[in-house]
Amino acid sequence: MDYLSLGKTGLKVSRLCLGCMSYGSSQRRAWILDEEQSLPFFKQAIEAGINFFDTADMYSGGLSEKVTGRSFKKLGLRRKETVIATKLYYPMGNTPNECGTSKKHVRHAIDASLRRLGVDYVDLYQIHRYDRTTPIEETLEALTEVVNQGKALHMALPVCTRGNSPNFSVPRRRTVMRVLWRCRTITTWSIGRRNAR
């Protein structure tokens, strides 16, 4: 297996990443594998040298994170051997503050993800989609707090597409870029292409 740096960080990840969206509960969707059916895929990935695993809080309503964390324990993996990425944005409850990228939701979402994964920190905490209802500065401040608290080593923003891009004025773009430069832990990650920008 080849390993490379994640974006502009020193974190080494396998060239291949095991996406964990299809692990959780078959009761949610027919194509989702239950925990016992998922375990052979984790085992095969690890045997192939994959150390990078990507999930999200909303996959199978949080069950994907639970399956991922429990699979590592069942296979006897030490935390330092794995690179865990998870994401937030989509609704995780019925109240207005249980979705998006507001400071309140980021704070609760990271704690819930860590509990489900059974770990003290994630290596990469990602925004699943750009949130048009929350100022990007608030989101960046919340993500910076997550990193400063040691709950994530790095953070990532989505690559914006035509339907998912912030409509920033030039002065606001400059402000956002200054915030990004100060954070320096941010990697812009293309989920579709699995490469850092």
Side-chain angles (χ1 to χ4, degrees), residues 2 9 45 59 74 104 130 133-134 139 142 173 176 188 190:
D2 292 330
T9 74
Y59 295 163
K74 287 179 182 177
K104 182 174 182 67
Y130 174 70
T133 67
T134 302
T139 300
R173 264 194 201 116
V176 169
T188 304
S190 171

PDB file of all heavy atoms in Angstrom, residues 2 9 45 59 74 104 130 133-134 139 142 173 176 188 190:
ATOM      1  N   ASP A   2       0.527   2.205  -0.811  1.00  0.00           N
ATOM      2  CA  ASP A   2       1.216   3.492  -0.811  1.00  0.00           C
ATOM      3  C   ASP A   2       0.555   4.396   0.220  1.00  0.00           C
ATOM      4  O   ASP A   2      -0.663   4.349   0.424  1.00  0.00           O
ATOM      5  CB  ASP A   2       1.105   4.162  -2.188  1.00  0.00           C
ATOM      6  CG  ASP A   2       1.882   3.421  -3.258  1.00  0.00           C
ATOM      7  OD1 ASP A   2       2.908   2.801  -2.911  1.00  0.00           O
ATOM      8  OD2 ASP A   2       1.461   3.461  -4.425  1.00  0.00           O
ATOM      9  N   THR A   9      -0.816  18.455   5.454  1.00  0.00           N
ATOM     10  CA  THR A   9      -0.505  18.056   6.830  1.00  0.00           C
ATOM     11  C   THR A   9       0.592  16.996   6.812  1.00  0.00           C
ATOM     12  O   THR A   9       0.964  16.485   5.765  1.00  0.00           O
ATOM     13  CB  THR A   9      -1.748  17.456   7.528  1.00  0.00           C
ATOM     14  OG1 THR A   9      -1.995  16.134   7.014  1.00  0.00           O
ATOM     15  CG2 THR A   9      -2.972  18.330   7.331  1.00  0.00           C
ATOM     16  N   ALA A  45      -9.609  -4.710   4.376  1.00  0.00           N
ATOM     17  CA  ALA A  45      -8.986  -3.400   4.168  1.00  0.00           C
ATOM     18  C   ALA A  45      -7.703  -3.284   4.994  1.00  0.00           C
ATOM     19  O   ALA A  45      -6.662  -2.840   4.486  1.00  0.00           O
ATOM     20  CB  ALA A  45      -9.964  -2.294   4.544  1.00  0.00           C
ATOM     21  N   TYR A  59     -24.648   8.679   8.524  1.00  0.00           N
ATOM     22  CA  TYR A  59     -24.711   7.378   7.863  1.00  0.00           C
ATOM     23  C   TYR A  59     -25.404   6.380   8.788  1.00  0.00           C
ATOM     24  O   TYR A  59     -24.937   6.121   9.891  1.00  0.00           O
ATOM     25  CB  TYR A  59     -23.329   6.852   7.499  1.00  0.00           C
ATOM     26  CG  TYR A  59     -22.567   7.666   6.469  1.00  0.00           C
ATOM     27  CD1 TYR A  59     -21.208   7.494   6.320  1.00  0.00           C
ATOM     28  CD2 TYR A  59     -23.202   8.583   5.632  1.00  0.00           C
ATOM     29  CE1 TYR A  59     -20.481   8.216   5.378  1.00  0.00           C
ATOM     30  CE2 TYR A  59     -22.493   9.304   4.694  1.00  0.00           C
ATOM     31  CZ  TYR A  59     -21.135   9.127   4.572  1.00  0.00           C
ATOM     32  OH  TYR A  59     -20.430   9.847   3.640  1.00  0.00           O
ATOM     33  N   LYS A  74     -12.823  -5.082  17.694  1.00  0.00           N
ATOM     34  CA  LYS A  74     -12.905  -6.528  17.435  1.00  0.00           C
ATOM     35  C   LYS A  74     -11.668  -7.043  16.718  1.00  0.00           C
ATOM     36  O   LYS A  74     -11.250  -8.184  16.929  1.00  0.00           O
ATOM     37  CB  LYS A  74     -14.146  -6.853  16.604  1.00  0.00           C
ATOM     38  CG  LYS A  74     -15.446  -6.757  17.369  1.00  0.00           C
ATOM     39  CD  LYS A  74     -16.621  -7.067  16.458  1.00  0.00           C
ATOM     40  CE  LYS A  74     -17.929  -6.921  17.208  1.00  0.00           C
ATOM     41  NZ  LYS A  74     -19.086  -7.158  16.326  1.00  0.00           N
ATOM     42  N   LYS A 104     -23.221  25.712  17.911  1.00  0.00           N
ATOM     43  CA  LYS A 104     -23.931  24.806  18.817  1.00  0.00           C
ATOM     44  C   LYS A 104     -23.944  23.378  18.267  1.00  0.00           C
ATOM     45  O   LYS A 104     -23.631  22.429  18.984  1.00  0.00           O
ATOM     46  CB  LYS A 104     -25.359  25.303  19.046  1.00  0.00           C
ATOM     47  CG  LYS A 104     -26.162  24.435  20.011  1.00  0.00           C
ATOM     48  CD  LYS A 104     -27.510  25.063  20.288  1.00  0.00           C
ATOM     49  CE  LYS A 104     -28.323  24.277  21.283  1.00  0.00           C
ATOM     50  NZ  LYS A 104     -27.753  24.270  22.632  1.00  0.00           N
ATOM     51  N   TYR A 130     -21.703  22.753   2.567  1.00  0.00           N
ATOM     52  CA  TYR A 130     -21.697  24.153   2.984  1.00  0.00           C
ATOM     53  C   TYR A 130     -23.077  24.514   3.523  1.00  0.00           C
ATOM     54  O   TYR A 130     -24.094  24.190   2.925  1.00  0.00           O
ATOM     55  CB  TYR A 130     -21.316  25.044   1.791  1.00  0.00           C
ATOM     56  CG  TYR A 130     -21.437  26.494   2.102  1.00  0.00           C
ATOM     57  CD1 TYR A 130     -20.542  27.104   2.972  1.00  0.00           C
ATOM     58  CD2 TYR A 130     -22.466  27.253   1.570  1.00  0.00           C
ATOM     59  CE1 TYR A 130     -20.665  28.431   3.290  1.00  0.00           C
ATOM     60  CE2 TYR A 130     -22.591  28.593   1.877  1.00  0.00           C
ATOM     61  CZ  TYR A 130     -21.690  29.171   2.745  1.00  0.00           C
ATOM     62  OH  TYR A 130     -21.825  30.486   3.060  1.00  0.00           O
ATOM     63  N   THR A 133     -27.092  28.766   6.016  1.00  0.00           N
ATOM     64  CA  THR A 133     -27.773  29.472   7.104  1.00  0.00           C
ATOM     65  C   THR A 133     -26.828  29.888   8.224  1.00  0.00           C
ATOM     66  O   THR A 133     -27.242  30.564   9.160  1.00  0.00           O
ATOM     67  CB  THR A 133     -28.900  28.611   7.701  1.00  0.00           C
ATOM     68  OG1 THR A 133     -28.330  27.472   8.353  1.00  0.00           O
ATOM     69  CG2 THR A 133     -29.879  28.155   6.627  1.00  0.00           C
ATOM     70  N   THR A 134     -25.568  29.471   8.152  1.00  0.00           N
ATOM     71  CA  THR A 134     -24.589  29.797   9.197  1.00  0.00           C
ATOM     72  C   THR A 134     -23.422  30.541   8.566  1.00  0.00           C
ATOM     73  O   THR A 134     -22.862  30.073   7.574  1.00  0.00           O
ATOM     74  CB  THR A 134     -24.069  28.500   9.867  1.00  0.00           C
ATOM     75  OG1 THR A 134     -25.179  27.785  10.408  1.00  0.00           O
ATOM     76  CG2 THR A 134     -23.084  28.812  10.981  1.00  0.00           C
ATOM     77  N   THR A 139     -18.675  28.870  11.610  1.00  0.00           N
ATOM     78  CA  THR A 139     -18.306  27.468  11.411  1.00  0.00           C
ATOM     79  C   THR A 139     -16.805  27.272  11.610  1.00  0.00           C
ATOM     80  O   THR A 139     -16.379  26.343  12.295  1.00  0.00           O
ATOM     81  CB  THR A 139     -18.717  27.002  10.002  1.00  0.00           C
ATOM     82  OG1 THR A 139     -20.130  27.152   9.866  1.00  0.00           O
ATOM     83  CG2 THR A 139     -18.325  25.558   9.757  1.00  0.00           C
ATOM     84  N   ALA A 142     -15.934  27.450  15.250  1.00  0.00           N
ATOM     85  CA  ALA A 142     -16.340  26.221  15.948  1.00  0.00           C
ATOM     86  C   ALA A 142     -15.379  25.074  15.646  1.00  0.00           C
ATOM     87  O   ALA A 142     -14.988  24.316  16.542  1.00  0.00           O
ATOM     88  CB  ALA A 142     -17.764  25.842  15.543  1.00  0.00           C
ATOM     89  N   ARG A 173     -14.667  37.193   0.949  1.00  0.00           N
ATOM     90  CA  ARG A 173     -13.759  36.103   0.564  1.00  0.00           C
ATOM     91  C   ARG A 173     -12.384  36.325   1.190  1.00  0.00           C
ATOM     92  O   ARG A 173     -11.763  35.397   1.678  1.00  0.00           O
ATOM     93  CB  ARG A 173     -13.615  36.043  -0.957  1.00  0.00           C
ATOM     94  CG  ARG A 173     -14.526  35.069  -1.578  1.00  0.00           C
ATOM     95  CD  ARG A 173     -14.148  34.757  -3.018  1.00  0.00           C
ATOM     96  NE  ARG A 173     -15.343  34.236  -3.642  1.00  0.00           N
ATOM     97  CZ  ARG A 173     -15.996  34.794  -4.624  1.00  0.00           C
ATOM     98  NH1 ARG A 173     -15.554  35.879  -5.175  1.00  0.00           N
ATOM     99  NH2 ARG A 173     -17.088  34.259  -5.088  1.00  0.00           N
ATOM    100  N   VAL A 176     -12.523  35.454   4.886  1.00  0.00           N
ATOM    101  CA  VAL A 176     -12.554  34.002   5.069  1.00  0.00           C
ATOM    102  C   VAL A 176     -11.171  33.417   4.809  1.00  0.00           C
ATOM    103  O   VAL A 176     -10.703  32.560   5.566  1.00  0.00           O
ATOM    104  CB  VAL A 176     -13.626  33.349   4.170  1.00  0.00           C
ATOM    105  CG1 VAL A 176     -13.487  31.838   4.163  1.00  0.00           C
ATOM    106  CG2 VAL A 176     -15.017  33.756   4.634  1.00  0.00           C
ATOM    107  N   THR A 188      -8.906  21.331   2.364  1.00  0.00           N
ATOM    108  CA  THR A 188     -10.115  21.237   1.554  1.00  0.00           C
ATOM    109  C   THR A 188     -10.047  19.901   0.846  1.00  0.00           C
ATOM    110  O   THR A 188      -9.094  19.617   0.138  1.00  0.00           O
ATOM    111  CB  THR A 188     -10.180  22.397   0.545  1.00  0.00           C
ATOM    112  OG1 THR A 188     -10.090  23.613   1.281  1.00  0.00           O
ATOM    113  CG2 THR A 188     -11.479  22.368  -0.218  1.00  0.00           C
ATOM    114  N   SER A 190     -11.771  16.778  -1.441  1.00  0.00           N
ATOM    115  CA  SER A 190     -12.766  16.390  -2.428  1.00  0.00           C
ATOM    116  C   SER A 190     -13.234  14.979  -2.119  1.00  0.00           C
ATOM    117  O   SER A 190     -12.504  14.019  -2.333  1.00  0.00           O
ATOM    118  CB  SER A 190     -12.183  16.449  -3.842  1.00  0.00           C
ATOM    119  OG  SER A 190     -13.103  15.861  -4.740  1.00  0.00           O
TER     120      SER A 190
END
